[in-house]
Amino acid sequence: MATNERSSSGFQINRSLLAGGAVLTGIGALFGTAGAVMVCAALATAGRDWVRRLDTPPTSLAQRALREAKVASSAGWEAWRTEHHSPN
């Protein structure tokens, strides 16, 4: 059995080169995945440490921002209602 096979159109495939390329591609994909996992783990750890060092937890900041947005929305709505419903 030959390593090169010729089809009727003359297209020739070197099977050993094809197999070697497939193996190297698979190995490269594994290394790439392992590298991506390591990067994600490093970023997650750094993010957790940063959040722990904050003076105010992010949930408190989010709650305060939500309260402020509600107050601003109510004030805007009240101003609009007063302007549009006042007698001319």
Side-chain angles (χ1 to χ4, degrees):
M1 184 163 200
T3 59
N4 295 332
E5 195 167 304
R6 184 181 295 264
S7 68
S8 61
S9 65
F11 188 71
Q12 196 172 20
I13 299 172
N14 184 333
R15 287 188 175 186
S16 62
L17 187 60
L18 182 65
V23 167
L24 289 176
T25 300
I27 291 169
L30 288 174
F31 278 123
T33 301
V37 167
M38 291 172 69
V39 166
C40 289
L43 291 174
T45 301
R48 263 194 313 267
D49 291 344
W50 175 71
V51 168
R52 283 189 197 125
R53 287 191 310 257
L54 290 175
D55 293 333
T56 306
T59 53
S60 297
L61 293 174
Q63 289 169 348
R64 183 173 50 197
L66 182 59
R67 277 193 305 274
E68 290 171 356
K70 286 180 180 179
V71 168
S73 176
S74 294
W77 172 251
E78 192 59 39
W80 181 86
R81 250 186 46 184
T82 303
E83 180 68 28
H84 290 297
H85 291 292
S86 64
N88 290 333

